Amino acid sequence: MVVRIVADSTCNLSDEDVARYGIQIVPLVIHFGTNTFLEGVTIDRDLFYHKIEVEEIMPTTSQPAPGQFADAYRPLVSDPILCLTITSKHSGTYQSAMLAADMVPGADVVVFDTLSITMGTGFMVLEAAQMAEAGHSREEILARLEQIRARMHVVFTPDTLKYLQMSGRVGKLSGVLGSMLNLRPIIVIEDGLLEAKEKVRTRGRSLDRLVELMAEQVGTAAPARLAVIHARTPQEAQHLAARLSDTFQCDEVRLVDLVPALAVHGGPGIIGIIGYRL
């Protein structure tokens, strides 16, 4: 039996990766007023940003219903299932995935909380899918995922505080952001929670700090996997990716356009680095 991999849409993997490894993706829900969309299914990035920038509608998001996960599990019941989700500290997605396991008779499901977001989750989903394809057991995959989770680092900076201030899912950031005025926060994930680590005065300096902080965490001599995530700032992201390629020991730096369900909270212009030491 082959372990089957399920993940939510915030893992930020490309359509090519999803198809290549047969990953089942469960979409988060995006609400524009009374209109509801499924991420990557009934709304894409162009429509998402059109509604924000042209129609000036501010969306909200919600986790998938348990039934959505149950629908993903049902075709896989003949094999063991491993479901990976966005951090449970900022989303109810993990709980929905857990509840769904009891809704599908015969399903053998383990749900893994990545305690991360975007490619922090995505890198773990990829590792799980590759190990599953190679014939590893679910227990072996979980042991490796725990190692990666402990080594995963996420650091990013928004272009504006507007979206973080409007978001209801920024945890301990809420008490800090209001006092920053024109300063730019450097935000990290610690134990699954978004935390404002420090603040700098310029965009250029904030990008420098992203690189410096990632270097402190993963080192520049050891092999690493890295990704640059961004929302609507492709040229800046390309320059940052090139800088990482020159600085770190990695075969590839993934360049990732942030999924709408996460861009909602950081807004256009957000940029970050995600990576871990191999």
Side-chain angles (χ1 to χ4, degrees):
M1 291 189 295
V2 176
V3 179
R4 306 298 295 272
I5 306 300
V6 178
D8 68 77
S9 59
T10 67
C11 70
N12 233 135
L13 292 180
S14 67
D15 292 341
E16 291 76 15
D17 283 329
V18 169
R20 164 68 182 81
Y21 293 104
I23 302 165
Q24 298 294 312
I25 298 295
V26 178
L28 264 70
V29 184
I30 300 175
H31 308 275
F32 283 94
T34 58
N35 295 317
T36 297
F37 301 88
L38 297 179
E39 180 168 65
V41 179
T42 57
I43 189 170
D44 59 14
R45 288 173 177 83
D46 289 340
L47 178 57
F48 173 79
Y49 286 110
H50 177 84
K51 285 185 168 295
I52 290 178
E53 297 165 359
V54 178
E55 298 182 22
E56 297 185 338
I57 304 173
M58 190 62 195
T60 59
T61 63
S62 60
Q63 71 265 22
Q68 290 176 253
F69 279 103
D71 288 342
Y73 297 159
R74 283 191 186 94
L76 313 178
V77 292
S78 60
D79 295 307
I81 299 168
L82 176 58
C83 179
L84 295 84
T85 73
I86 185 176
T87 173
S88 63
K89 304 291 181 68
H90 286 287
S91 173
T93 302
Y94 173 81
Q95 187 63 28
S96 286
M98 291 286 289
L99 290 172
D102 293 329
M103 298 170 62
V104 183
D108 177 13
V109 182
V110 170
V111 183
F112 182 80
D113 183 355
T114 68
L115 294 177
S116 196
I117 61 174
T118 180
M119 279 303 297
T121 299
F123 276 133
M124 289 184 243
V125 174
L126 275 178
E127 184 80 9
Q130 290 163 355
M131 289 185 70
E133 185 181 74
H136 289 275
S137 69
R138 190 167 56 189
E139 290 70 27
E140 291 171 326
I141 297 172
L142 286 167
R144 176 60 177 154
L145 291 179
E146 288 173 358
Q147 292 176 341
I148 296 175
R149 182 170 62 185
R151 297 177 183 176
M152 189 66 66
H153 299 283
V154 178
V155 56
F156 61 91
T157 187
D159 188 48
T160 171
L161 296 179
K162 170 184 173 183
Y163 297 93
L164 284 171
Q165 288 171 323
M166 294 175 67
S167 171
R169 300 190 181 185
V170 292
K172 297 181 181 178
L173 291 177
S174 56
V176 177
L177 297 178
S179 63
M180 286 191 170
L181 300 176
N182 294 324
L183 298 178
R184 297 172 183 273
I186 303 296
I187 299 167
V188 301
I189 289 187
E190 294 182 351
D191 192 30
L193 283 170
L194 295 175
E195 304 280 2
K197 185 174 182 66
E198 55 189 68
K199 51 198 175 188
V200 296
R201 292 196 174 276
T202 67
R203 178 71 162 185
R205 182 55 185 152
S206 69
L207 298 181
D208 288 343
R209 283 303 288 153
L210 297 185
V211 177
E212 291 165 2
L213 288 168
M214 189 57 62
E216 290 173 10
Q217 296 295 337
V218 307
T220 57
R225 288 204 175 107
L226 296 169
V228 172
I229 59 99
H230 72 95
R232 280 305 206 244
T233 179
Q235 290 186 333
E236 200 171 36
Q238 288 169 359
H239 291 153
L240 184 58
R243 184 173 174 184
L244 297 184
S245 294
D246 291 339
T247 304
F248 295 86
Q249 300 301 313
C250 49
D251 295 333
E252 172 195 19
V253 177
R254 285 182 171 247
L255 195 60
V256 179
D257 193 352
L258 198 63
V259 293
L262 297 177
V264 164
H265 305 294
I270 193 169
I271 190 167
I273 306 172
I274 297 172
Y276 67 102
R277 179 172 48 82
L278 294 177

